[in-house]
Amino acid sequence: MLDELEEAGVASNTFTAYHKAHGIEVHGYAVAESGETLDLFTTDFDLRPLVSKLTRTDAETKFRRLLTFVRRTRDGMRKDLDESHDVHDMCASLEKALTEVQRIRFFLLSTRVATSTEFPPTTFDGLPVSHEVWDLARLHRHATSGRMGEPIVVDFDPPLPCVAVPSTEEDHSVVLTVISGQQLADLYAEYGTRLLELNVRSFLQARGTVNSGIRRTLLNAPGRFLAYNNGVTATASRVDLVWGPDGTVTGIRRVHGLQIVNGGQTTASLHYAATRDRADLSDVSVQMKLTEVAPERLAEIVPKISEYSNTQNRVTLVDFSSNHEYHVAFQRITRSLWAPAADGSGQETHWFYERARGQYTDELAKARTPARQREFKRLNPSRQKFTKSDLAKFVNSWDQLPHLVSRGAQKNFSHFMLRIDETPPHVDVQYCQRVIAMAILFRAIDRIAAAHGAGSHKSFVTTHTMARLSRATNRRIDLDRVWREQRVSPVLEEAVDELCPRVMGVVANPREGVHAGEWAKKEACWITVSEIPWRVPRSLAEELRGTPLDQEELGRGDTHESAPAEVALVPASEWFAVEQWAKQTRSLDPWQRQVARKVGQRVQLGQEVPVNQAVQALDIRKEAQKLGFLPHAPSGEPDTEGVGSATRTV
């Protein structure tokens, strides 16, 4: 559920940590990146969710236990806890947060239906405390909404004065209004980046920094903000208007599904200027163009509004919409892509890509009879289902960006989409097969990390291990073989089993005095992991491809068919000389020396060298020459006396 809440933009930087004692029960916590909000989570889990309901008394008890935990943490409970436990780190984070945050939120996650979901706010040491219940009904709405989060509904009392612009289009209408800076800042304080879900670039700009020009205006000339600032562009699924006696529109009473698609930095800057600089926003006004868009046209029209709203800083179609061409193409191909039968049954299956939330459940529901549902599950096993955020996690781990993956589903996905926009991959059958192979590899690493006791750090350990493996092999793991076999090879699994504890030792032991989860999000953590002394085992080296698979190459086949012929033109004696030179100078890895010797033997016997091995050999020869290897005259035999004229340049 914490992943779901992160993806929905409700929470960020979430961590699981369980602690139960007399009057206390807590399951996790989060401190927002802005440092302004502290979240605490507790659960009510029942495997028979419809047998009973979550009563108001039940919920109040759960919230009271969270409050007691916060109070005891403030009073120094940490000193009585084992430092090796997650709860010790949680208490340390809370102690620091309580001196910095401006609000506290309690979350109750329940598999039952709640009889009451609204609880009045309270305070703790002067900090406002809100209470949120995510019961079965709310979870269902969230899972089936097909959107990143629940729609934001905003009431304006008194109504915002506005001018309605007549439209000849039935699917949208536009009103122009002016909103106070304080109202906009308050909206961001309450909803955060959920206001910006439909615009990735605006979402990424909301970094907790205040634009210097905006800041100067707010502090020195707040009354001129309306004149200086371009304002914001917003969309809504429904706008409730106020009509005058003459039948003209006079104001906006309520907005459903509010999203700011241009002006995210302005909105965030207003909030941070008010909270950090204590700027007075009472004289600040912001112009707003509000477009009411029919819900069924939202995904189509909103990206265009984003793109055309600001031509100086072009905003493209990269957004969280499932209608992005990349995701449409990926779904289209995977729906008809059969994965080889890996269990010996002979039954091929699909990997089900959820382009939009709840697609798997919807498709299963369409198979109305039990027999058809069983058939659907047989061909589309739930274990082979993956989402957009999963895909971004697999690819960014492979592309050696584990610090981005560690920042949570939503942030990682937005960075992934920006990279897709900058360098669009060729999404074909081979590309999809290789991405699914990454999924198989990622999940295999995840299982191994769990076996090594990674615990609450497992997600961080998994992505860093995959990135380190990708780096060590120069992205040359044979993803095509993983796809064909629908599993990682025993040799690869053994290598991961050896590497994983070393990665865990770095990730779980921060060097900057922060929580392991915060450490994993820093690029410094990845740099430290990338420098872990670990070499690819010889057995794995023999399984590697000849060329790396970066993002641009994933959708292309090998273009090195001429490599065997090129290798055959190099005398066998030179390949043997490379091996001897590397052994004496210790300039190449052992597996590289072995490849040089094997190729030399094949050339000597007149045998054809396999494409992958030939490409590897040519790369090794090129690397050796860069390091100072000088070929000597061919002799047709291994150089057992020395390395001829081969020298190493230092």
Side-chain angles (χ1 to χ4, degrees):
M1 270 309 301
L2 296 185
D3 288 341
E4 293 285 330
L5 294 177
E6 286 213 18
E7 187 175 342
V10 175
S12 62
N13 292 333
T14 59
F15 302 103
T16 56
Y18 178 68
H19 182 61
K20 185 174 183 179
H22 181 67
I24 291 176
E25 186 172 21
V26 60
H27 289 80
Y29 70 103
V31 180
E33 276 194 347
S34 64
E36 296 179 358
T37 305
L38 168 64
D39 296 331
L40 285 163
F41 304 91
T42 188
T43 68
D44 168 65
F45 185 78
D46 192 329
L47 283 172
R48 302 172 300 163
L50 301 181
V51 172
S52 63
K53 292 188 175 182
L54 176 70
T55 67
R56 187 175 187 87
T57 301
D58 293 335
E60 288 174 342
T61 299
K62 293 284 188 179
F63 286 136
R64 190 163 52 249
R65 289 174 178 172
L66 285 179
L67 182 61
T68 302
F69 173 73
V70 175
R71 182 180 297 112
R72 293 187 184 175
T73 298
R74 178 203 60 188
D75 295 340
M77 181 177 69
R78 178 165 60 104
K79 65 179 182 297
D80 300 323
L81 300 172
D82 188 333
E83 292 187 10
S84 64
H85 291 173
D86 292 337
V87 68
H88 185 277
D89 290 340
M90 175 167 59
C91 289
S93 296
L94 261 63
E95 287 175 10
K96 182 174 184 292
L98 287 172
T99 65
E100 300 173 348
V101 299
Q102 298 180 16
R103 66 188 63 86
I104 300 173
R105 298 188 298 177
F106 289 162
F107 288 82
L108 170 55
L109 315 176
S110 175
T111 57
R112 295 190 290 173
V113 176
T115 58
S116 299
T117 58
E118 295 184 7
F119 294 83
T122 58
T123 60
F124 175 79
D125 282 357
L127 296 174
V129 179
S130 61
H131 307 78
E132 290 203 29
V133 176
W134 282 71
D135 66 340
L136 188 62
R138 189 173 183 181
L139 297 179
H140 178 261
R141 290 197 304 272
H142 172 67
T144 57
S145 66
R147 297 186 53 180
M148 293 300 291
E150 291 192 323
I152 295 173
V153 180
V154 181
D155 290 301
F156 293 103
D157 185 17
L160 284 179
C162 72
V163 176
V165 182
S167 174
T168 58
E169 303 287 337
E170 295 183 357
D171 55 11
H172 77 278
S173 60
V174 179
V175 294
L176 304 176
T177 186
V178 174
I179 185 173
S180 76
Q182 189 60 58
Q183 282 179 303
L184 206 52
D186 290 343
L187 285 173
Y188 189 83
E190 183 172 357
Y191 298 107
T193 54
R194 286 181 60 200
L195 275 172
L196 316 176
E197 284 173 348
L198 294 182
N199 189 314
V200 172
R201 203 168 292 274
S202 289
F203 169 76
L204 290 176
Q205 288 174 347
R207 292 293 188 187
T209 58
V210 181
N211 176 283
S212 58
I214 292 176
R215 184 173 181 272
R216 282 196 303 272
T217 302
L218 292 173
L219 294 178
N220 302 322
R224 296 181 182 178
F225 192 85
L226 183 62
Y228 291 171
N229 188 267
N230 289 331
V232 300
T233 302
T235 63
S237 57
R238 193 177 96 210
V239 179
D240 296 341
L241 301 171
V242 177
W243 299 82
D246 59 351
T248 60
V249 174
T250 61
I252 300 170
R253 184 174 65 251
R254 173 179 286 187
V255 177
H256 302 257
L258 178 64
Q259 284 288 296
I260 294 174
V261 296
N262 187 263
Q265 190 176 32
T266 294
T267 306
S269 294
L270 283 166
H271 166 68
Y272 290 119
T275 55
R276 295 178 182 175
D277 292 325
R278 299 289 187 261
D280 182 3
L281 303 183
S282 58
D283 293 331
V284 176
S285 298
V286 183
Q287 62 183 354
M288 179 168 69
K289 181 179 74 172
L290 177 62
T291 303
E292 180 181 7
V293 183
E296 64 273 11
R297 303 295 301 278
L298 202 64
E300 174 190 349
I301 294 177
V302 168
K304 288 183 172 61
I305 295 174
S306 301
E307 179 178 359
Y308 303 142
S309 291
N310 190 344
T311 55
Q312 291 180 329
N313 183 19
R314 183 173 179 268
V315 181
T316 68
L317 296 181
V318 179
D319 55 37
F320 287 120
S321 168
S322 58
N323 286 335
H324 190 280
E325 57 186 349
Y326 171 86
H327 299 292
V328 172
F330 199 96
Q331 176 187 302
R332 184 182 66 249
I333 292 173
T334 53
R335 285 294 187 271
S336 58
L337 182 62
W338 290 98
D343 57 1
S345 65
Q347 176 59 60
E348 296 179 322
T349 56
H350 294 298
W351 280 76
F352 193 98
Y353 177 57
E354 272 201 334
R355 178 169 62 90
R357 183 185 298 277
Q359 279 186 321
Y360 185 89
T361 303
D362 292 343
E363 291 297 321
L364 181 60
K366 290 177 184 177
R368 297 186 180 279
T369 66
R372 288 180 179 176
Q373 289 185 344
R374 285 195 298 271
E375 178 68 7
F376 177 82
K377 290 180 179 179
R378 187 170 68 89
L379 300 180
N380 302 273
S382 58
R383 68 178 180 279
Q384 291 177 194
K385 180 189 75 171
F386 61 110
T387 65
K388 296 194 299 292
S389 57
D390 290 332
L391 186 153
K393 181 167 58 178
F394 303 148
V395 176
N396 275 358
S397 295
W398 173 266
D399 285 341
Q400 301 167 29
L401 299 168
H403 52 294
L404 298 184
V405 177
S406 298
R407 291 174 188 173
Q410 191 181 28
K411 289 185 176 60
N412 179 59
F413 179 76
S414 60
H415 281 284
F416 170 74
M417 288 307 299
L418 286 178
R419 295 178 62 233
I420 289 295
D421 184 52
E422 292 166 359
T423 311
H426 178 56
V427 183
D428 56 8
V429 170
Q430 187 176 59
Y431 176 88
C432 294
Q433 289 175 341
R434 288 172 170 174
V435 169
I436 291 172
M438 293 178 199
I440 295 171
L441 175 59
F442 187 94
R443 291 176 175 180
I445 295 173
D446 195 65
R447 289 192 298 271
I448 292 171
H452 281 285
S456 60
H457 306 316
K458 179 166 69 71
S459 60
F460 309 128
V461 172
T462 298
T463 182
H464 279 83
T465 300
M466 183 160 171
R468 183 67 180 89
L469 185 67
S470 173
R471 180 182 177 87
T473 60
N474 192 25
R475 294 189 181 94
R476 291 189 297 117
I477 292 173
D478 193 346
L479 296 178
D480 297 327
R481 175 181 174 179
V482 174
W483 162 259
R484 289 192 304 270
E485 298 180 356
Q486 290 292 291
R487 64 176 181 84
V488 299
S489 70
V491 168
L492 179 53
E493 191 166 331
E494 187 177 329
V496 172
D497 192 56
E498 176 187 310
L499 174 61
C500 187
R502 304 186 187 195
V503 174
M504 190 162 67
V506 172
V507 173
N509 295 286
R511 297 188 178 181
E512 298 185 5
V514 295
H515 182 274
E518 291 299 325
W519 165 239
K521 297 173 185 179
K522 297 178 180 291
E523 191 171 5
C525 177
W526 162 234
I527 292 173
T528 306
V529 169
S530 68
E531 294 172 349
I532 292 174
W534 185 77
R535 283 193 171 186
V536 177
R538 179 184 302 178
S539 54
L540 177 57
E542 294 175 353
E543 291 185 359
L544 300 180
R545 288 170 43 88
T547 55
L549 280 173
D550 55 25
Q551 184 161 297
E552 294 183 12
E553 289 292 332
L554 284 176
R556 306 183 197 151
D558 290 326
T559 56
H560 300 280
E561 298 301 324
S562 62
E566 292 182 44
V567 165
L569 294 175
V570 179
S573 59
E574 184 171 327
W575 294 114
F576 295 135
V578 168
E579 182 211 7
Q580 291 294 322
W581 168 84
K583 186 181 294 184
Q584 290 187 9
T585 60
R586 298 181 179 179
S587 300
L588 300 175
D589 290 335
W591 71 268
Q592 293 176 305
R593 299 199 301 266
Q594 289 294 319
V595 169
R597 184 170 187 84
K598 284 184 178 180
V599 169
Q601 291 170 342
R602 286 181 180 272
V603 171
Q604 191 175 48
L605 296 173
Q607 298 174 346
E608 184 175 356
V609 180
V611 174
N612 281 355
Q613 192 176 66
V615 173
Q616 281 184 324
L618 292 173
D619 288 343
I620 291 168
R621 180 171 177 258
K622 186 182 298 184
E623 183 177 349
Q625 290 173 341
K626 285 182 180 178
L627 294 173
F629 171 76
L630 299 174
H632 55 63
S635 65
E637 297 294 334
D639 183 354
T640 56
E641 300 300 323
V643 290
S645 60
T647 61
R648 184 178 184 188
T649 303
V650 180

